[in-house]
Amino acid sequence: MTINHIPLGVFGISHRTAPVEIRDLVALNEQEQKTAITSILKSFGVEGVMIISTCNRTEVFISKEDPKSVIPPIRKWFNDFKKSSYFLDDHLIYEIYGIEAARHYFRVINGMDSLIVGETQIAGQVRDGYELAHELEGTDSLLNKLFNFAMQAKKRVRNETFLCDGTVSISFAGVELARKIFSDLREKEILVIGAGKTADLAAFHFMENEMKNIHVVNRTYQKARDLADMYHGQAYELKDLPVALKNADVVISATSSETFVVTPGMMENIAKARNHRPIFLIDLAIPRDIDPRIQEIDGVFLYNLDDLNEIVEMNLKKREKELPKSQKIVDEYLLEFQKWYANNSMASIAGRLKKQLDTLRMNEIARLKNHFSNEGLNDINLLTESIINKVVRQHMKTLKKNSGDPERYQQHVDLIYSLFELEKD
Amino acid sequence: MKLFSQILSYALPLLYLGVIYFYYLIFTGKDKRLLNKTTGLLIGLLFIHAVEIISRLVALNAIPLSTTHDAFSFLAFSILFVYMILELSLKNKGSGLFILSFAFIFELVSSFNVSWTLETNPLLKDPSFAIHASVSIMGYTALALSALYALMYILQNRNIKKRNLGKLFMQLPAISYLEKMSARSVFIGIILLGIGILQGHLEAYDVMGSFWQNDIKVIVIDTIWIIYLIGYSASRLMRWRGIYMAYFSIFGFLVLILGGSMVIYVSESFHSFY
């Protein structure tokens, strides 16, 4: 029996429905998440609650037999809590229920619903949300299993598809290209022309990727000195640019110069002096700092902002192509999750246990019916039914107690199956 | 044993082709799962090829290195072996399609030249000939790999220059790595081939009483080896650019392979002595 009814609901706001200004206003910090989880558990009689809150989405997952009945009041509670009207705005907030809510969770954790398809950061943020809810005893067996299956799906998606491969940020596109020229960046020299914010940010990405030796050239020497000092590098005046270029492997140029800072004549001499050893130049300036004609020189590789953008676009397209393959994997795990629910949810266990005990009871009554009068039989019927209900309720009580601990919950489920010889689907 | 060996000899090019198709699938990025399955495939192919070589050894009751079939087969085997080590150590599978295609060509040439005639020349029957032949073939392998790395270097250099950042760019290693590997392989190839040639001459002296034999293959290979040595020394002394070194490596290997092949087909045996 694979059941489509899963007592799960989610409501939220994301990059698909709201601009960043609104998303910022509804986002919940850790303390706010803690308050929200505790309050929802206390006030709305839900079995479990879990929150994902990032710069691109704020979503609340609710586990309850009839989530549709509690989500509207919870939305109102959030409105009051965040002192905003957005949580009641049906144009901004979406609600998803049942198996579709589970599918949504799987897609979110895999970065399939992200602004940048295949981004990997979201998985960590979902994990944080789950761990926080778990810590506050806000996760029941359903949410525990949902997270568990989603993580398994994520692992397979990463191993078997290219959904998360290839850089999708301009800075990292530069680093990736540098790796295709030099392989190992550790011993390479980076030269930054300009000392503004763009130059600093680009330098930071390269330094973060194992590069150690940085040189900075700037029209104002003091600014070059300041930036170089941040990375324990060396500063040069602009007139020393040819000397700095001669020793550099990676060059990032981001000045506000109106004319070319690096010209073909200058580069030709430098390339000869370097014996045409590869040099990778990234021109991030607008207007450009580096004359594009230097690209003709042997050993010189020049890329500008548009080129790097193209790489990012290309990688994004590749990721989008991987979506159907990823969806297939997600669907497989979704089916597994449904199967699990059909066999192991409290509602399912209660139903099966009741059915099995009823069968035993009815068999015994049928066997002994000649020994009792009709009246007596009625009393026995009522008595045994009441005992069975109590036994089932007692098991459900214990299961509920263990629902925050996935391992103990599963042990108890297995015990019930084995003790009462219940059949699995 | 002869039949078994013969079947393997004809099956090997097909198996190489199968493995190449596998690498083609990796190259096109169709299925990421394939990336984890190459080691098993390479080991399997290497094992089957080793069985073929051993089966010929048993069937011929002699070290199978003197015929065209054996020389090319061993060359393909060596390329496969070296590639497997490189792949395992560098974790890069992008060059597999190129390198294994090269090995496949040698294996194909080998299977078209299956011969069961034992060498009668005393020089080729000498046991130390096996050392000469295997060291020389390892030298050819290194030179073949150098040419392949050089070819990949040229392609990747062009990709980055022309901003062709498609599948080929993604799969090929970094140009600095390709340049280094090509230069190292040439160096190793010159050393190994040099040892092989020297040993060959010493054997000739031992068996025939003269260092120099008027075998056209000896003349051609000795000449090519000297050109390689001069070219490599010049590249080091004059600090050639990577691109020049790459062209030299490809050109040298083409001369070696074309010269060697022509000599084999002109003469009746792998070596023919007058």
Side-chain angles (χ1 to χ4, degrees):
Chain A
M1 178 184 67
T2 298
I3 53 173
N4 281 316
H5 166 71
I6 288 180
L8 183 70
V10 57
F11 69 91
I13 198 162
S14 78
H15 62 93
R16 293 192 189 276
T17 58
V20 66
E21 298 79 27
I22 295 176
R23 298 201 305 267
D24 277 350
L25 287 172
V26 300
L28 302 161
N29 62 32
E30 198 184 318
Q31 192 48 50
E32 286 173 325
Q33 286 183 44
K34 279 183 181 171
T35 311
I37 291 167
T38 321
S39 304
I40 292 167
L41 282 171
K42 209 170 121 187
S43 316
F44 296 94
V46 301
E47 305 295 335
V49 57
M50 193 161 64
I51 296 170
I52 301 169
S53 191
T54 73
C55 53
N56 283 324
R57 69 179 67 244
T58 295
E59 290 177 340
V60 182
F61 286 82
I62 302 287
S63 166
K64 189 178 177 5
E65 190 48 43
D66 180 15
K68 274 186 184 168
S69 65
V70 288
I71 282 184
I74 293 175
R75 276 174 63 178
K76 192 174 175 315
W77 183 90
F78 267 100
N79 233 20
D80 298 339
F81 179 58
K82 288 296 281 183
K83 294 183 180 64
S84 78
S85 60
Y86 301 124
F87 283 96
L88 289 180
D89 188 334
D90 287 337
H91 292 105
L92 298 174
I93 297 278
Y94 46 85
E95 288 179 16
I96 312 168
Y97 293 100
I99 192 66
E100 288 310 315
R103 191 192 307 277
H104 178 75
Y105 188 74
F106 279 45
R107 284 177 60 84
V108 168
I109 210 167
N110 279 295
M112 293 161 75
D113 195 57
S114 294
L115 187 61
I116 295 166
V117 174
E119 61 121 342
T120 50
Q121 216 184 351
I122 187 72
Q125 291 162 331
V126 172
R127 178 187 278 278
D128 290 345
Y130 166 77
E131 280 171 358
L132 188 69
H134 190 71
E135 204 179 283
L136 299 168
E137 294 178 358
T139 58
D140 62 344
S141 60
L142 182 81
L143 292 182
N144 285 331
K145 269 293 166 194
L146 179 74
F147 175 74
N148 201 276
F149 276 109
M151 289 307 276
Q152 286 178 43
K154 184 209 82 178
K155 201 174 164 192
R156 257 190 74 194
V157 166
R158 297 252 174 108
N159 284 337
E160 295 180 15
T161 75
F162 296 98
L163 184 74
C164 306
D165 290 12
T167 180
V168 284
S169 95
I170 288 183
S171 306
F172 282 111
V175 176
E176 200 174 83
L177 264 169
R179 284 216 177 95
K180 281 287 184 186
I181 297 170
F182 302 109
S183 183
D184 187 358
L185 296 178
R186 274 174 298 186
E187 298 305 318
K188 299 294 166 196
E189 307 279 332
I190 179 169
L191 169 66
V192 180
I193 309 173
K197 221 171 178 179
T198 313
D200 181 11
L201 198 67
F204 171 75
H205 279 294
F206 273 92
M207 296 305 278
E208 217 185 12
N209 280 274
E210 299 168 347
M211 287 190 92
K212 288 175 198 153
N213 311 316
I214 186 167
H215 307 267
V216 184
V217 172
N218 195 48
R219 202 176 293 278
T220 315
Y221 178 76
Q222 191 49 48
K223 282 187 179 171
R225 181 76 272 152
D226 292 344
L227 181 58
D229 284 348
M230 278 170 66
Y231 301 105
H232 312 290
Q234 213 177 332
Y236 298 85
E237 286 182 38
L238 194 60
K239 67 177 171 57
D240 295 325
L241 179 62
V243 180
L245 277 170
K246 196 187 156 197
N247 300 316
D249 298 296
V250 176
V251 179
I252 297 162
S253 193
T255 77
S256 50
S257 171
E258 291 295 319
T259 54
F260 289 132
V261 179
V262 181
T263 59
M266 180 198 285
M267 205 62 216
E268 191 78 56
N269 291 333
I270 289 162
K272 268 185 203 155
R274 296 165 59 90
N275 199 33
H276 294 270
R277 192 158 48 84
I279 182 166
F280 176 42
L281 299 103
I282 306 171
D283 190 349
L284 297 177
I286 297 171
R288 283 178 291 181
D289 280 344
I290 304 172
D291 192 323
R293 285 175 297 171
I294 70 156
Q295 173 75 356
E296 304 301 319
I297 303 166
D298 186 21
V300 175
F301 302 97
L302 171 65
Y303 278 73
N304 61 32
L305 213 51
D306 288 344
D307 301 324
L308 297 181
N309 256 324
E310 256 179 58
I311 296 173
V312 168
E313 287 296 316
M314 193 174 76
N315 285 339
L316 276 173
K317 272 185 196 151
K318 265 191 234 161
R319 286 185 177 199
E320 271 161 22
K321 268 190 182 169
E322 293 294 304
L323 277 173
K325 225 187 277 178
S326 312
Q327 187 61 52
K328 215 175 147 195
I329 295 171
V330 160
D331 287 346
E332 275 178 41
Y333 280 92
L334 205 57
L335 191 67
E336 288 300 311
F337 174 65
Q338 279 178 283
K339 277 185 193 162
W340 174 85
Y341 181 75
N343 283 319
N344 300 278
S345 69
M346 279 173 59
S348 151
I349 305 272
R352 281 159 202 254
L353 189 57
K354 177 95 174 43
K355 198 176 156 199
Q356 176 76 338
L357 293 176
D358 259 343
T359 312
L360 290 173
R361 185 174 71 88
M362 295 314 286
N363 287 345
E364 282 307 294
I365 288 174
R367 192 168 65 86
L368 301 168
K369 69 176 177 189
N370 297 333
H371 298 277
F372 301 101
S373 64
N374 279 349
E375 238 175 59
L377 267 178
N378 275 342
D379 290 342
I380 287 169
N381 214 357
L382 283 170
L383 178 73
T384 50
E385 200 176 347
S386 166
I387 291 170
I388 280 169
N389 285 339
K390 280 206 162 55
V391 169
V392 173
R393 255 203 305 277
Q394 186 55 43
H395 276 293
M396 290 308 109
K397 223 167 124 186
T398 320
L399 272 179
K400 196 172 177 185
K401 213 168 87 188
N402 290 334
S403 66
D405 183 339
E407 216 171 298
R408 286 188 70 181
Y409 179 86
Q410 197 57 49
Q411 277 173 1
H412 196 102
V413 168
D414 293 342
L415 177 76
I416 295 171
Y417 267 100
S418 124
L419 195 64
F420 297 101
E421 295 178 333
L422 303 186
E423 276 180 18
K424 281 193 178 179
D425 287 334
Chain B
M1 184 55 78
K2 194 173 160 183
L3 180 70
F4 174 67
S5 179
Q6 208 147 17
I7 290 167
L8 279 183
S9 300
Y10 291 123
L12 269 173
L14 293 173
L15 295 174
Y16 270 80
L17 212 55
V19 174
I20 288 165
Y21 179 67
F22 194 84
Y23 274 87
Y24 167 75
L25 292 179
I26 288 176
F27 190 80
T28 52
K30 283 195 175 128
D31 193 341
K32 201 176 179 182
R33 284 172 298 180
L34 302 179
L35 285 168
N36 304 322
K37 291 171 182 160
T38 56
T39 310
L41 264 183
L42 290 175
I43 291 172
L45 184 59
L46 207 63
F47 175 76
I48 296 169
H49 202 147
V51 169
E52 191 258 357
I53 292 170
I54 294 164
S55 68
R56 274 183 70 81
L57 181 127
V58 175
L60 286 167
N61 199 20
I63 295 159
L65 281 170
S66 65
T67 67
T68 308
H69 167 83
D70 297 315
F72 277 102
S73 173
F74 196 72
L75 190 55
F77 179 82
S78 306
I79 291 173
L80 177 66
F81 181 65
V82 173
Y83 172 71
M84 193 182 78
I85 291 169
L86 286 174
E87 186 183 294
L88 287 174
S89 56
L90 298 166
K91 313 272 176 227
N92 184 298
K93 295 161 202 267
S95 47
L97 180 65
F98 296 89
I99 296 179
L100 295 175
S101 297
F102 228 54
F104 164 71
I105 292 168
F106 291 130
E107 189 49 41
L108 196 66
V109 173
S110 164
S111 68
F112 275 111
N113 289 281
V114 178
S115 156
W116 292 97
T117 318
L118 270 173
E119 281 295 341
T120 48
N121 192 298
L123 195 60
L124 301 181
K125 286 173 82 178
D126 193 284
S128 61
F129 164 76
I131 299 165
H132 155 73
S134 53
V135 172
S136 299
I137 290 171
M138 278 189 249
Y140 291 135
T141 305
L143 294 175
L145 284 173
S146 165
L148 275 170
Y149 279 118
L151 180 69
M152 286 190 274
Y153 170 87
I154 291 167
L155 289 173
Q156 189 68 313
N157 191 65
R158 204 182 148 80
N159 283 337
I160 301 175
K161 269 270 186 207
K162 304 276 177 198
R163 301 183 178 92
N164 297 330
L165 308 177
K167 278 172 188 157
L168 192 63
F169 163 78
M170 294 305 289
Q171 296 289 344
L172 289 177
I175 51 172
S176 63
Y177 164 78
L178 293 168
E179 185 185 357
K180 199 165 67 186
M181 289 306 283
S182 178
R184 267 188 203 169
S185 303
V186 167
F187 178 71
I188 293 167
I190 290 171
I191 300 284
L192 288 174
L193 193 58
I195 294 170
I197 287 171
L198 185 69
Q199 216 219 334
H201 283 298
L202 288 173
E203 267 172 53
Y205 179 76
D206 238 20
V207 179
M208 298 175 126
S210 159
F211 282 113
W212 177 257
Q213 291 297 326
N214 294 330
D215 173 18
I216 188 161
K217 186 164 189 293
V218 173
I219 297 165
V220 169
I221 298 300
D222 281 9
T223 311
I224 294 171
W225 182 80
I226 289 165
I227 293 169
Y228 255 119
L229 185 67
I230 293 169
Y232 183 76
S233 309
S235 77
R236 295 279 103 179
L237 289 171
M238 294 161 74
R239 294 174 64 217
W240 284 1
R241 300 179 196 179
I243 200 87
Y244 292 165
M245 191 62 204
Y247 284 126
F248 164 72
S249 186
I250 293 171
F251 174 75
F253 186 70
L254 283 177
V255 171
L256 180 73
I257 212 72
L258 289 174
S261 304
M262 275 164 64
V263 168
I264 288 167
Y265 281 97
V266 168
S267 56
E268 284 174 2
S269 161
F270 199 69
H271 281 289
S272 63
F273 303 92
Y274 301 97

